[in-house]
């Protein structure tokens, strides 16, 4: 049993009531939800950008020395800071002192996230969190934009073959773009490639969604 479906359905209902949840809508959570629900989801279409397809591969990439120095350690301290403000809520269930000594996202997830959500091991949590396993079951039109130079989502872990086998999935890969970057031009000041692709996708869904 996972927390994917109830979380997404609560967010969807809050949008329907025009009282949007302030909770961030993670891309991996969205794809996992769509894969679990298939065509039964109330959503008509979806788009994701720079999603991490395989959590194990993402962690391994971010643990490379340069990536750890530039991204991993800083993001870990941000996670620690965000929960330390409310540590009194977790002390009965989790060893918060041990969590605050984590030096990587993987260590943080092992000591806090996986425990918090009731997973037996970090491997169980990472397996369940990886949307590549559920992509084949997505039942609505989904646009997935990734860059092959994204250190948060390494190229070898992008599920190209699975995407080819699902007519609902449009997997768009660029040579450059980084993680949610996709800047264009020498002095990028206008909309990005990601903005343009998203606009075209939404327009196509509005004008031709009934044909799908």
């Amino acid at each position: 049993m996972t927390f994917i479906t109830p979380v997404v359905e609560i967010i969807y209902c809050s949008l329907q009531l025009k009282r949007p949840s302030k909770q961030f809508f993670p891309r991996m959570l969205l794809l996992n939800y769509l894969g679990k629900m298939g065509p039964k989801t109330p959503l008509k279409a979806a788009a994701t950008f720079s999603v991490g397809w395989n959590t194990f591969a993402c962690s391994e990439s971010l643990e490379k020395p340069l990536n750890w120095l530039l991204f991993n350690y800083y993001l870990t301290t941000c996670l620690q800071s965000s929960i330390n403000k409310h540590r009194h809520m977790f002390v009965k269930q989790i060893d918060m002192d041990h969590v605050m000594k984590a030096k990587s996202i993987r260590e943080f997830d092992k000591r806090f996230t996986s425990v918090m959500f009731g997973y037996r091991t970090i491997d169980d949590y990472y397996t369940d969190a990886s949307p590549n396993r559920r992509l084949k079951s997505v039942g609505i039109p989904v646009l997935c934009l990734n860059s092959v130079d994204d250190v948060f989502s390494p190229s070898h872990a992008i599920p190209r073959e699975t995407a080819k086998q699902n007519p609902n999935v449009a997997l768009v890969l660029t040579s450059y773009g980084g993680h949610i970057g996709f800047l264009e031009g020498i002095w990028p000041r206008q909309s990005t490639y990601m903005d343009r692709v998203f606009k075209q996708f939404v327009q196509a869904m509005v004008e031709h969604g009934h044909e799908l």
Side-chain angles (χ1 to χ4, degrees):
M1 180 177 181
T2 70
F3 60 95
I4 291 172
T5 302
V7 170
V8 176
E9 288 180 345
I10 288 171
I11 295 173
Y12 173 76
C13 290
S14 71
L15 292 173
Q16 288 295 92
L17 293 171
K18 297 184 178 179
R19 292 186 301 177
S21 168
K22 293 182 179 179
Q23 183 73 22
F24 178 57
F25 201 2
R27 298 172 293 277
M28 295 168 69
L29 184 62
L30 172 61
L31 284 173
N32 274 318
Y33 164 77
L34 293 176
K36 183 176 181 180
M37 296 298 291
K40 296 180 181 179
T41 174
L43 300 177
K44 302 303 180 183
T48 66
F49 305 100
S50 301
V51 70
W53 291 100
N54 183 306
T55 315
F56 295 98
C58 296
S59 292
E60 290 172 3
S61 176
L62 288 173
E63 286 166 359
K64 293 180 179 179
L66 181 59
N67 293 339
W68 179 87
L69 183 64
L70 293 176
F71 308 112
N72 200 329
Y73 181 71
Y74 172 72
L75 292 174
T76 302
T77 61
C78 290
L79 291 169
Q80 292 167 326
S81 177
S82 67
I83 64 168
N84 196 44
K85 301 174 184 177
H86 311 285
R87 64 182 298 153
H88 64 279
M89 299 173 60
F90 309 115
V91 290
K92 292 184 178 180
Q93 181 181 1
I94 296 173
D95 183 349
M96 291 300 294
D97 290 334
H98 192 45
V99 172
M100 299 308 294
K101 293 178 182 178
K103 300 300 182 184
S104 69
I105 295 175
R106 188 195 297 265
E107 288 184 356
F108 178 89
D109 285 338
K110 180 178 182 179
R111 300 172 187 182
F112 180 82
T113 315
S114 60
V115 178
M116 184 66 191
F117 289 103
Y119 287 94
R120 189 173 58 86
T121 66
I122 181 67
D123 287 353
D124 289 342
Y125 168 56
Y126 275 9
T127 297
D128 200 34
S130 300
N132 59 342
R133 302 181 310 118
R134 294 189 174 94
L135 188 63
K136 62 183 179 182
S137 301
V138 170
I140 63 170
V142 175
L143 168 68
C144 303
L145 176 63
N146 278 84
S147 173
V148 297
D149 69 345
D150 183 356
V151 298
F152 287 81
S153 183
S155 175
H156 69 270
I158 297 175
R160 294 170 173 81
E161 293 304 316
T162 304
K164 290 179 182 179
Q165 296 169 13
N166 188 336
N168 292 307
V169 177
L171 177 61
V172 180
L173 302 179
T174 62
S175 298
Y176 305 99
H179 189 67
I180 320 180
F182 303 100
L183 303 177
E184 296 179 298
I186 299 177
W187 301 105
R189 296 181 180 179
Q190 305 299 320
S191 62
T192 67
Y193 178 73
M194 179 173 62
D195 297 324
R196 293 194 294 110
V197 170
F198 179 67
K199 181 179 179 181
Q200 292 171 8
F201 178 72
V202 171
Q203 184 176 354
M205 288 299 99
V206 172
E207 295 179 355
H208 304 287
H210 63 283
E211 301 173 7
L212 300 176

